Amino acid sequence: MRLFRLTTATLFRRKSWVVCAFCVGVLPFLLVQISSGTENPALLKPALAQATWAMTLLTSIFWGFYTAARQGESNARSGLGEYFLTTGVSAGRQLFEMWLAIFTYLAPLPLISAAICTLAASPALPDERSMWLATNIQYAILFLVVMAPLVALACAVASRLGSITGFMASSALAIYGLYGVGYLKLLGDLEGNALAKWVWTSSPHYHFADPTERLRYKLGAIAWDKFPLLLAYFGGIMLVYVALSRLVFRARAAA
């Protein structure tokens, strides 16, 4: 695990993870104070929950994918990947160790968000509080399942096409899955476009992993008997992206 330790130490010395921790752990409280939530106490806790998860998503996309892309490109172009190949560390193992190092910093973010929403934004009624806790736990799990393969994809694409392309590939998929598919469905329904409906059906529906609406309107947790199906859906997407990442990733720059 030498590459894992090297990547982990490199990210720690850059200290950009401090900004991520601030954006998720502190910034939502500041954003709520300058929002309309202070004018209506009933809106304060939903606003805090929304801001917390929004910061988690944005931080993961902009920091997580950028960092993964940067590491993937650096590993290939600096000669580090070729060095590890000569020591017996395969390309697949290199991709895994870099992914694991980046995800070590990324994984705590949804846990921090769930903790903030549970401790600082829970409803007063006991029944609603238990449902609120279950909702946050579910979405912390979904967040990890969704982001994990996108980090690997950013790293893999960047190793072959550069860090900008790697970052844009994963970011575009995440943003499209969170927000773009909704507009595509609306377009397909309005115009009766069969092609748009087919694209919508085959798209990654990451909006199912966004808890904003459920927390804002207290819609409750996903039924536990249906939650494994959602995990299986995102698990299938993960397998596709992991296979694609392994095919695309290279440990040495092209001659």
Side-chain angles (χ1 to χ4, degrees), residues 15-173:
K15 293 184 172 57
S16 56
W17 56 270
V18 176
V19 178
C20 298
F22 174 81
C23 289
V24 176
V26 178
L27 190 57
F29 293 94
L30 302 179
L31 292 176
V32 168
Q33 295 304 316
I34 60 176
S35 71
S36 58
T38 55
E39 300 175 2
N40 187 348
L43 299 177
L44 191 60
K45 289 183 177 181
L48 177 59
Q50 180 180 350
T52 301
W53 278 105
M55 287 297 102
T56 302
L57 287 171
L58 291 175
T59 300
S60 300
I61 291 173
F62 287 102
W63 181 84
F65 297 164
Y66 172 76
T67 301
R70 184 177 178 182
Q71 289 300 128
E73 181 183 37
S74 176
N75 186 72
R77 295 190 178 182
S78 66
L80 187 64
E82 188 168 5
Y83 163 75
F84 277 107
L85 285 176
T86 62
T87 63
V89 182
S90 65
R93 181 59 181 263
Q94 291 183 37
L95 175 61
F96 170 74
E97 291 191 19
M98 285 191 294
W99 169 85
L100 184 61
I102 297 166
F103 210 64
T104 299
Y105 290 92
L106 202 62
L109 298 183
L111 304 181
I112 294 174
S113 297
I116 291 175
C117 291
T118 301
L119 299 175
S122 289
L125 297 177
D127 292 341
E128 291 185 354
R129 189 183 303 118
S130 62
M131 191 64 71
W132 185 275
L133 174 61
T135 303
N136 280 280
I137 291 175
Q138 287 180 344
Y139 281 104
I141 296 171
L142 291 175
F143 179 93
L144 296 175
V145 176
V146 165
M147 289 298 170
L150 290 173
V151 170
L153 186 65
C155 186
V157 172
S159 69
R160 184 172 294 271
L161 301 175
S163 57
I164 295 178
T165 306
F167 169 73
M168 291 300 297
S170 288
S171 299
L173 280 172

Side-chain angles (χ1 to χ4, degrees), residues 242-255:
V242 167
L244 181 62
S245 298
R246 180 59 190 90
L247 289 174
V248 172
F249 179 77
R250 66 182 179 192
R252 58 166 64 96

Side-chain angles (χ1 to χ4, degrees), residues 53 57 61 65 139 142-154 169-182 200-213 222 230-231 233-242 244-245:
W53 278 105
L57 287 171
I61 291 173
F65 297 164
Y139 281 104
L142 291 175
F143 179 93
L144 296 175
V145 176
V146 165
M147 289 298 170
L150 290 173
V151 170
L153 186 65
S170 288
S171 299
L173 280 172
I175 294 172
Y176 170 70
L178 285 168
Y179 309 109
V181 291
W200 177 84
T201 303
S202 58
S203 297
H205 293 264
Y206 291 139
H207 56 93
F208 290 137
D210 182 6
T212 302
E213 295 298 319
I222 301 169
L230 196 56
L231 282 178
Y233 170 73
F234 287 123
I237 295 177
M238 176 188 291
L239 292 177
V240 172
Y241 285 177
V242 167
L244 181 62
S245 298

